[in-house]
Structure formats: C-alpha cells, structure tokens
Amino acid sequence: MSASSIPRPLAISIGEPSGVGADVTLAAFARREALDLPRLFLIADPEMVARRAERLGLDVQLRTIGRPDECGSDPRFLDILPLVNPHSEGPGRPDPANAAGTIEAIDRGTRLVLDGAASALVTNPIDKKALYDAGFRHPGHTEYLAELCGNLTGEACQPVMLLTGPDLSCVPVTIHIPLADVPAALTEELILSTARIVARDLSTRFGLERPRLAVSGLNPHAGERGAIGREDEAVIRPAVEILRTEGFDVVGPLPGDTMFHPEARARYDVALCMYHDQALIPAKTLAFDETVNVTLGLPIIRTSPDHGTAADLAGSGAARPNSFIAAVRLAGRMAGIGAGADEDANAR
C-alpha cells in the first residue's frame, strides 16, 4: 500500500485534563489490538498524559509526533501531537489555567480534519464552567465547533446534535438553552432546517437512503390539539406538513411519553425532540455506555462520548471507556476506515 493510500488517522482532542479524557483514551489504546481500533493520535500535553498513565498503572507507551502523517509508524506507541499551551494534571480539580490548552486541542483537531491531515475528530468531554471562568462564551462544544468551522471555511453551518446508540437515535432541536427559553426558541424554520440536516447526513454519512423521522411534541400529550399549549399545533405540526410535501418520511408531532418504547422505536430511524433532556434522557437511559454524540451539519466528522468529564472518577481507574470506544469506532466507520460493528467492543 502506498503512503498516499493509507487512511488518514483520527484526531483525538484531550478535553478537560482534570476529567477522564486521558483515562478513557489510555484504557482504549491499551486494548487497541482486541478492539481493532482505527489509527489515531491524541492532541494533548505529553507530560500530563504520562502522569495520568502512571497514576492509573497502565503500561501504555507514549510517543510525541510532529505531524499526523507520522502517526502509527510504530503501533506499540500512543502517538501524541503536543500542545503549545501546557496542561496540569490534577484529576478532579478543574483549573481555568488549563483552558487555553483545552481549546487549542479542539482548534487544532478541527483544522487538521478540514485540511485533510486527519479523517475525523473525536472530542473528549470539556468542563464548560472551567472554560467560562477563563472567558469561553459558547453554550457548549457543539456550538463552538460550528462557529469554528464557519470561521475557518467562510460558510456558516447549523450544528445538529445526534445521540446514537444500538437501540435509539435522538436529536434535540434546541440544545444548550434553559428550559424556560425553549418555547420562544422553537420555530417552524428551526424544526425544518434541523430535519433537513438530519435526513441529509443520515443518508450521506450513515447510508440510510430515506431516513424515517419521528417528531415529538413539546407539551404533554403533544398538546391535546391545543388544549395544553399552542406550540404543537401552531409550530410543530406545520413544520411536519411542510417536510411531508418535500418528500421526507416523517410523522408527528407525537407525544413524548409514548415515543421510546420498543414497538414505537421500530417505526423510525431517528427521533427529533424539542429540547435537550427530551432527547438525551431516553438515549442515555437505554444505552449510557454505548451511545455516541455526533455533530451533524458540520463540514467535518465529529463524534464524542455521550458522558461528561466525570471529574470524580478521573485518575481512579473506575471510568469505563465504553462510550469513547464507541465514538472512535463510529468516527472510523463514518470516515470509511473503521472495522465493522463489534458487539463485544464495550469495556465493562
């Protein structure tokens, strides 16, 4: 195989250094042969990762590289592209001084995928409070990546959060906003644009020729035809009707309390929910350790574990790498470089 035909590696951003990003990355790499993981490199502070590996008692050899194309030349080593801004280790102790390195890892990973040096970006979780204390002003990872990609490409993009697991795929139409702000933010155009992005990316990146979309209501019982709130009839139903006229396979608005039992889930490929917890509660309840966060609507492939930084578990060896492994494997499959699905890939 020529050098030009070797699949580009995955870029992994370290995330919050006081959390479990290093833990799950190291644990997954320690099992790389059994898991048949795609080639990958970590964007991180090598000294911080080395200290975490020692703390965890993991015999993982680390190597610093200067460019992504050096990745994987010796498969015994976890390759690390070093940060300019250093990270202190301190498991369980978030420090705003680490924010520059955390953002740098995301920025560099995004640029490398856009430039074609990496095939996809897998992001470890960030601590938004630590970033906010350092001046970060984005609601979350998803929104930051959308703005970053827009700035780098000159083309605005709408990020769509997809939580996908073995039994359920969900999309929250509104994402990181207070629940009290959802009714005002929920517009017909937002539902339409979200559904179009979901259908397009499920087709182009997941191979579903005509995805089946199920749209939830906002209010109890999907509003009882206007008796319990107006949004279901005034905003959601008209959007669903427009999508039908455009040729989409879509139903709704459906009561949120009857959408997620097994028989209901068999009738759709993805559920479009009206707010964050309406989507994430069923997704994480059904498969917390196997669910992956995928950002649709971007010019890059981005996946992430579905959990947070779990700072209370950092450095203890108790953090399970299941969701990280699933995120890496899904990113590889979406980029056309991963192994097939493996039901035994979960690290219990």
Side-chain angles (χ1 to χ4, degrees), residues 173-174 182-192 215-219 222 226 229-243 252-253 274:
V173 174
T174 62
V182 168
L186 194 63
T187 65
E188 183 179 296
E189 182 52 42
L190 179 61
I191 297 169
L192 291 171
V215 179
S216 77
L218 173 67
N219 296 296
R230 56 175 295 277
E231 293 86 0
D232 302 273
E233 296 300 317
V235 178
I236 302 171
R237 190 177 301 280
V240 171
E241 294 300 329
I242 292 171
L243 290 168
M274 295 302 106

Side-chain angles (χ1 to χ4, degrees), residues 75-281:
R76 295 174 301 170
F77 293 90
L78 171 58
D79 291 321
I80 300 180
L81 193 65
L83 296 172
V84 174
N85 297 282
H87 270 161
S88 60
E89 194 219 352
R93 300 190 301 274
D95 185 350
N98 285 323
T102 301
I103 297 302
E104 178 194 343
I106 301 169
D107 289 356
R108 291 176 66 187
T110 301
R111 289 177 183 272
L112 289 169
V113 180
L114 285 172
D115 291 344
S119 60
L121 175 63
V122 180
T123 61
N124 274 303
I126 59 174
D127 185 309
K128 290 189 281 291
K129 177 60 166 60
L131 296 182
Y132 292 158
D133 289 345
F136 187 77
R137 290 294 176 263
H138 294 79
H141 225 146
T142 300
E143 295 86 350
Y144 178 70
L145 282 164
E147 182 172 311
L148 179 61
C149 287
N151 290 339
L152 292 174
T153 64
E155 297 183 9
C157 48
Q158 177 188 339
V160 172
M161 178 189 289
L162 169 69
L163 274 293
T164 183
D167 299 311
L168 176 66
S169 293
C170 281
V171 167
V173 174
T174 62
I175 309 177
H176 297 120
I177 63 174
L179 188 58
D181 296 343
V182 168
L186 194 63
T187 65
E188 183 179 296
E189 182 52 42
L190 179 61
I191 297 169
L192 291 171
S193 61
T194 301
R196 291 165 182 153
I197 289 169
V198 170
R200 180 197 69 201
D201 283 11
L202 288 184
S203 176
T204 59
R205 291 185 170 176
F206 289 82
L208 295 177
E209 184 174 346
R210 191 165 184 258
R212 300 169 299 163
L213 311 181
V215 179
S216 77
L218 173 67
N219 296 296
H221 305 165
E224 291 277 15
R225 299 191 305 278
I228 310 175
R230 56 175 295 277
E231 293 86 0
D232 302 273
E233 296 300 317
V235 178
I236 302 171
R237 190 177 301 280
V240 171
E241 294 300 329
I242 292 171
L243 290 168
R244 285 201 190 104
T245 65
E246 294 178 354
F248 292 98
D249 186 345
V250 57
V251 295
L254 302 177
D257 60 350
T258 59
M259 285 183 65
F260 302 111
H261 61 85
E263 185 178 347
R265 297 198 308 269
R267 295 194 288 266
Y268 59 80
D269 297 306
V270 62
L272 272 66
C273 302
M274 295 302 106
Y275 55 92
H276 183 278
D277 284 10
Q278 191 182 49
L280 272 68
I281 287 174

Side-chain angles (χ1 to χ4, degrees), residues 327-346:
V328 167
R329 293 173 68 83
L330 179 57
R333 291 197 297 274
M334 291 175 69
I337 63 172
D342 182 351
E343 294 300 325
D344 297 323
N346 301 317

Side-chain angles (χ1 to χ4, degrees), residues 3 6-12 39-43 63-74 79-82 108-120:
I6 296 175
R8 294 163 296 160
L10 304 181
I12 315 293
R39 199 163 52 109
L40 57 84
F41 63 93
L42 178 63
I43 307 172
R63 183 181 70 158
T64 298
I65 60 173
R67 304 185 314 272
D69 60 8
E70 299 172 4
C71 171
S73 60
D74 189 334
D79 291 321
I80 300 180
L81 193 65
R108 291 176 66 187
T110 301
R111 289 177 183 272
L112 289 169
V113 180
L114 285 172
D115 291 344
S119 60

Side-chain angles (χ1 to χ4, degrees), residues 15-30:
E16 168 55 45
S18 70
V20 297
D23 304 51
V24 298
T25 303
L26 288 162
F29 189 79

